[in-house]
Amino acid sequence: MPPNRRQPPTVRLRRLAAELRRLRREAGLSQEDVAEKTNVNNVTLYRIETAKTKPQLRTLIALLDAYGATESERDSLIALQKEAKQRGWLHSFEADLPDQYTALISLEAEAQQAINYESLFIPGLLQTEDYARAVIQGVLPTAPETEVENFVAARMQRQALLESETPLRLWAIIDQAALCRTVGGKAVMRAQLDHLTRQAQRPNITVQVIPFSAGAHPGMPGSFIVLKFPLDDPDVIYIDSMAGDLFLEKESEIQLYNDICEHLRAIALSPTDTLALLASPHEDH
């Protein structure tokens, strides 16, 4: 993976930045005004307000004083500052996984909804352990066993999001090609399709398959995930490619991928027809 790929900020850090921008504007202060009041220079303030850096606690308190923040606002934002780089269960995996993959997991854990389009694989959140292991071994044929097992363990842990008290809402759109590729052998693939069928019937999971009969479509260039967050935090687009993983955060990019999602959902089989396809013999896929 290219070393200069920047990890996106955590959702907590993005929320903190947005709240500080809001408070400054409501106080009627320019960045230059803030610099005079707090001795926080314009460059530092810009980096804080764009979630490129986490403010030190004393800096945050100085900003909140300058903005006349209420006690509840102060308590909430100080808590966000302390949690801004929190990664939860992922901490034990971070040394063994690529930075961009750990960034995906962190953002995914904060998301309210994920729309995952896959052209060649069953989505990671819906994979069985045996299928996941076969996929990782196939994609990384020279990886040592310990690396493969770390990826498998992390992928299985990610799936807890679907069964939490407030579960992630997952909309999976899968090209029919992913159902036809026998990964790990017939028994592994049959078990995977059975698992996918069961998961597709959960209330927080929607699965649609794009049939071969749909012809060419906008998803053919590659897979992606659209992560949607609560409290109007902007979406993040994750793209996994041979050139390295990418995170897209520009408004125009987000709009483009949301438009693609709408198109793919429209040409895919309905959730009911998808279940019927999954229930048919593997050879018919």
Side-chain angles (χ1 to χ4, degrees):
M1 181 180 301
N4 60 345
R5 298 237 186 245
R6 182 181 68 84
Q7 284 196 39
T10 65
V11 173
R12 290 179 178 89
L13 187 56
R14 293 198 301 160
R15 192 171 303 152
L16 176 60
E19 286 298 299
L20 289 174
R21 291 197 305 272
R22 178 185 66 81
L23 286 172
R24 177 176 61 78
R25 290 166 183 164
E26 289 181 356
L29 298 172
S30 67
Q31 291 186 341
E32 290 74 17
D33 294 333
V34 175
E36 290 180 9
K37 282 177 170 287
T38 64
N39 291 323
V40 177
N41 65 56
N42 287 354
V43 173
T44 299
L45 185 59
Y46 168 80
R47 290 180 59 80
I48 290 171
E49 290 193 351
T50 54
K52 289 181 168 58
T53 190
K54 184 180 83 165
Q56 294 182 354
L57 182 57
R58 65 176 180 272
T59 300
L60 176 60
I61 291 173
L63 294 175
L64 295 175
D65 288 343
Y67 302 157
T70 65
E71 184 175 349
S72 62
E73 287 171 334
R74 294 171 69 91
D75 291 345
S76 174
L77 296 185
I78 288 172
L80 274 179
Q81 188 268 354
K82 292 178 179 177
E83 298 170 356
K85 292 191 176 179
Q86 183 172 310
R87 304 268 177 188
W89 62 266
L90 182 60
H91 179 72
S92 60
F93 287 93
E94 283 188 309
D96 302 310
L97 297 172
D99 288 346
Q100 298 300 88
Y101 188 56
T102 62
L104 166 66
I105 295 172
S106 295
L107 289 169
E108 192 176 64
E110 299 270 3
Q112 191 171 63
Q113 181 183 14
I115 305 173
N116 187 182
Y117 165 72
E118 292 291 344
S119 55
L120 296 174
F121 305 107
I122 304 301
L125 288 173
L126 299 176
Q127 292 179 5
T128 65
E129 184 173 337
D130 288 339
Y131 178 93
R133 183 174 290 106
V135 164
I136 294 165
Q137 288 173 334
V139 172
L140 302 173
T142 61
E145 184 179 353
T146 53
E147 182 178 346
V148 171
E149 292 306 315
N150 278 328
F151 271 110
V152 172
R155 187 160 299 178
M156 294 301 101
Q157 184 65 49
R158 285 171 57 201
Q159 296 180 4
L161 293 171
L162 299 174
E163 300 179 7
S164 66
E165 187 174 339
T166 54
L168 177 73
R169 299 202 312 271
L170 174 63
W171 198 308
I173 308 170
I174 310 168
D175 193 284
Q176 188 173 357
L179 308 183
C180 296
R181 185 174 298 278
T182 304
V183 174
K186 290 185 177 180
V188 168
M189 198 65 200
R190 183 68 261 170
Q192 172 61 73
L193 295 176
D194 289 345
H195 177 70
L196 181 61
T197 301
R198 291 191 297 272
Q199 292 294 85
Q201 298 175 70
R202 295 170 61 95
N204 60 309
I205 299 174
T206 301
V207 177
Q208 288 184 270
V209 169
I210 299 176
F212 289 136
S213 59
H217 60 77
M220 292 178 70
S223 305
F224 60 88
I225 302 173
V226 179
L227 295 171
K228 296 180 175 293
F229 304 93
L231 301 178
D232 296 323
D233 284 317
D235 299 351
V236 172
I237 314 300
Y238 171 77
I239 301 174
D240 183 6
S241 73
M242 291 294 288
D245 301 353
L246 296 173
F247 289 94
L248 307 181
E249 302 174 80
K250 293 181 180 177
E251 187 175 344
S252 60
E253 295 167 336
I254 291 170
Q255 185 61 54
L256 171 64
Y257 277 85
N258 276 305
D259 289 346
I260 290 173
C261 285
E262 289 302 311
H263 188 94
L264 295 178
R265 284 192 275 208
I267 65 171
L269 297 175
S270 70
T272 299
D273 289 343
T274 291
L275 283 172
L277 177 65
L278 292 173
S280 65
H282 182 204
E283 291 75 14
D284 295 343
H285 297 157

